[in-house]
Amino acid sequence: MPKEIIDRIKGGLIVSCQSEEGDPFNSPEGVTLFAKAAVIGGAAGIRSREYAKTKMIVENVNVPVIGLTKSAFPDGYVRITGSFSEVEEIIKSGCHVVAIDGTFREREGMTGPQFIQQVRERFNCLIMADISTAEEGKACADHGAHFISSTLSGYTAETKKTAGPGPDFKLVSELTKDLTLPVVAEGRVNSPVQAAQMLELGAWAVVVGTAITRPRIVTEWYVSKMKNISERH
Amino acid sequence: MPKEIIDRIKGGLIVSCQSEEGDPFNSPEGVTLFAKAAVIGGAAGIRSREYAKTKMIVENVNVPVIGLTKSAFPDGYVRITGSFSEVEEIIKSGCHVVAIDGTFREREGMTGPQFIQQVRERFNCLIMADISTAEEGKACADHGAHFISSTLSGYTAETKKTAGPGPDFKLVSELTKDLTLPVVAEGRVNSPVQAAQMLELGAWAVVVGTAITRPRIVTEWYVSKMKNISERH
């Protein structure tokens, strides 16, 4: 079963279907519409946040679903499924994989890799370690993660300083060279060409979110580019 | 009032919120969620198809809405609001502008420009002429259209042969040079850079649909690009 899930997303697109407060799509029904559309369009998997939304998506699509919760570290940066109670909660949604923060930042009195090892001992689930550096990726692989995902590159205090506007090709390249585990490319992948490049670098699968499932933000991208021109005319 | 509507979309992004049978978003509620998200993201206008969907969008957003219906010409190509009864129906939705096929193909016993002139005489509405060539654009302008839109370039038997994968910059450029009416750029605008280029060419506003409001098709774009790579590995 774990191997089957891992194989099913090989070479595939995972569409992240998330929504925030104030967005018209911010409901289980709203994100489930995106998940269904993505699967009809050929998505090999879905990534989803929060128990109720993830449960509804799991019940409505026939591809593996990666579940997660979000909270914040004391420094204000996002923390992905960072407590045992959150792991327990999201597993109840029926998701096939749980995404867990694999950075070295402390939660439950331990680092991400240590926490992932504990989750493997206490729960029966596939684990995707969301990391921000190659060192974190290696440590999470050594501590029992099933996948390593570049999700957090650019979203920690340390990596924010050096992150460019595009995806972190360098990190994915390092991970695929160093590790035998499946490496998932995630974070600022905003075009089909970038997604294909990630596969070329050896990524097992690619996650795309905003560019497909956040029409509000995509609209902002267009409006902001157009504003520069229209203000000159 | 007409002038106010025309001015409100100047330099702006019009987001086309349409959906087809078999798509999870194919309902008035589904397309209205996209319209609301687009307006929060800064859209200056919405383009919408069918009475019920357009009515719900008009009731839920505070920007000008361009309404239309779709049917088919005898040759199978799409016909935008191509009969008097369709014009009457879509006006009832409360839309602020009606998009009308402005090609030379015959409907109601007359060409697009002639039909547009009749619509101006019989109905009190702003008219956006959807055309496929510069000649059609000029004729529609001479027959009373309020806007000319490049919508149909690549979607008629004649223009399909020469259309590239990208938007028709040449047509928009010709229209803005020849006409004093506002010219709207529409058709295969799939990136913020292309939208900005259209404004540079003198477009009054730019319409973007698929890339923002059709997650199923955008997913297909990614999957198809990725397939080429994953089949080689």
Side-chain angles (χ1 to χ4, degrees):
Chain A
M1 172 71 168
K3 190 173 178 315
E4 191 214 318
I5 298 289
I6 294 169
D7 286 346
R8 277 175 69 189
I9 64 169
K10 184 171 173 10
L13 176 71
I14 297 166
V15 177
S16 185
C17 301
Q18 299 184 41
S19 191
E20 279 76 42
E21 217 182 302
D23 193 287
F25 292 100
N26 186 30
S27 66
E29 292 74 17
V31 293
T32 298
L33 288 171
F34 278 107
K36 289 165 87 167
V39 170
I40 296 172
I46 299 293
R47 188 169 154 119
S48 165
R49 173 189 172 188
E50 293 172 16
Y51 168 79
K53 288 172 178 167
T54 307
K55 183 168 185 288
M56 189 163 182
I57 288 176
V58 167
E59 289 166 354
N60 280 279
V61 300
N62 58 359
V63 300
V65 176
I66 302 155
L68 61 101
T69 61
K70 276 183 183 169
S71 57
F73 279 106
D75 64 4
Y77 283 89
V78 64
R79 185 177 84 167
I80 310 284
T81 326
S83 69
F84 292 116
S85 61
E86 286 171 81
V87 172
E88 195 170 356
E89 184 197 5
I90 198 69
I91 286 176
K92 283 190 191 141
S93 73
C95 64
H96 308 82
V97 180
V98 178
I100 293 179
D101 186 294
T103 67
F104 294 138
R105 292 168 298 182
E106 197 172 294
R107 88 295 314 260
E108 300 273 18
M110 58 190 103
T111 67
Q114 291 167 339
F115 179 69
I116 284 169
Q117 187 165 31
Q118 288 287 312
V119 170
R120 271 212 68 161
E121 285 171 20
R122 298 195 197 183
F123 302 93
N124 178 29
C125 67
L126 283 170
I127 296 168
M128 183 171 294
D130 286 351
I131 54 84
S132 68
T133 67
E135 297 69 41
E136 291 164 356
K138 183 156 190 335
C140 290
D142 291 342
H143 284 73
H146 298 90
F147 306 87
I148 307 297
S149 180
S150 61
T151 318
L152 293 171
S153 169
Y155 301 100
T156 66
E158 193 192 323
T159 60
K160 196 186 175 181
K161 297 170 199 154
T162 51
D168 195 339
F169 293 110
K170 186 163 166 281
L171 173 59
V172 170
S173 180
E174 283 173 18
L175 291 168
T176 57
K177 279 198 192 90
D178 290 350
L179 306 176
T180 52
L181 282 188
V183 171
V184 174
E186 176 168 5
R188 303 184 297 284
V189 178
N190 289 335
S191 78
V193 169
Q194 292 173 339
Q197 283 176 311
M198 286 301 191
L199 291 185
E200 292 272 20
L201 294 175
W204 187 266
V206 181
V207 179
V208 176
T210 305
I212 299 179
T213 64
R214 283 187 170 136
R216 182 175 59 80
I217 293 173
V218 178
T219 299
E220 286 171 2
W221 292 344
Y222 280 82
V223 169
S224 132
K225 203 87 182 169
M226 292 168 70
K227 214 157 219 160
N228 297 332
I229 311 297
S230 68
E231 278 166 3
R232 292 211 313 266
H233 282 70
Chain B
M1 173 72 168
K3 191 174 177 316
E4 192 213 316
I5 298 288
I6 294 169
D7 286 346
R8 276 175 70 189
I9 64 169
K10 183 170 176 7
L13 176 71
I14 296 166
V15 177
S16 184
C17 301
Q18 300 185 41
S19 190
E20 279 77 40
E21 217 181 302
D23 193 287
F25 292 100
N26 186 29
S27 65
E29 292 75 16
V31 294
T32 298
L33 288 171
F34 277 108
K36 288 165 88 167
V39 171
I40 296 173
I46 299 294
R47 186 167 155 119
S48 166
R49 173 189 173 190
E50 293 171 17
Y51 168 78
K53 288 172 177 168
T54 306
K55 182 167 186 288
M56 190 164 180
I57 289 176
V58 167
E59 289 166 354
N60 278 279
V61 300
N62 57 1
V63 299
V65 176
I66 301 154
L68 61 102
T69 61
K70 276 184 183 169
S71 58
F73 280 104
D75 63 3
Y77 283 88
V78 64
R79 184 177 85 166
I80 310 283
T81 325
S83 68
F84 292 117
S85 61
E86 287 172 81
V87 172
E88 194 170 357
E89 184 198 5
I90 198 68
I91 286 177
K92 282 190 191 143
S93 73
C95 65
H96 308 82
V97 180
V98 178
I100 294 179
D101 187 293
T103 68
F104 295 137
R105 293 169 297 184
E106 197 171 292
R107 88 294 314 257
E108 302 272 17
M110 56 190 101
T111 67
Q114 291 166 339
F115 180 68
I116 284 170
Q117 187 165 34
Q118 288 289 311
V119 170
R120 271 211 68 161
E121 285 171 20
R122 297 196 199 182
F123 301 93
N124 178 27
C125 67
L126 282 171
I127 297 169
M128 182 172 295
D130 287 351
I131 54 84
S132 70
T133 67
E135 296 68 42
E136 291 164 357
K138 181 155 191 337
C140 290
D142 291 342
H143 284 73
H146 298 90
F147 306 87
I148 306 297
S149 181
S150 60
T151 318
L152 293 171
S153 169
Y155 301 99
T156 65
E158 190 193 323
T159 60
K160 198 189 174 179
K161 298 169 199 158
T162 52
D168 195 341
F169 293 111
K170 185 164 166 283
L171 173 59
V172 170
S173 180
E174 283 172 20
L175 290 169
T176 57
K177 277 197 194 89
D178 290 349
L179 306 176
T180 53
L181 281 190
V183 171
V184 174
E186 176 167 6
R188 304 183 299 285
V189 178
N190 289 335
S191 77
V193 169
Q194 291 173 340
Q197 284 175 310
M198 286 300 191
L199 291 186
E200 292 272 19
L201 294 176
W204 187 266
V206 181
V207 178
V208 176
T210 305
I212 300 180
T213 64
R214 282 184 171 141
R216 181 175 61 80
I217 292 173
V218 179
T219 298
E220 286 170 3
W221 291 345
Y222 280 83
V223 169
S224 132
K225 203 86 184 173
M226 292 169 70
K227 217 159 216 158
N228 297 334
I229 310 297
S230 66
E231 278 166 4
R232 293 211 313 263
H233 281 69

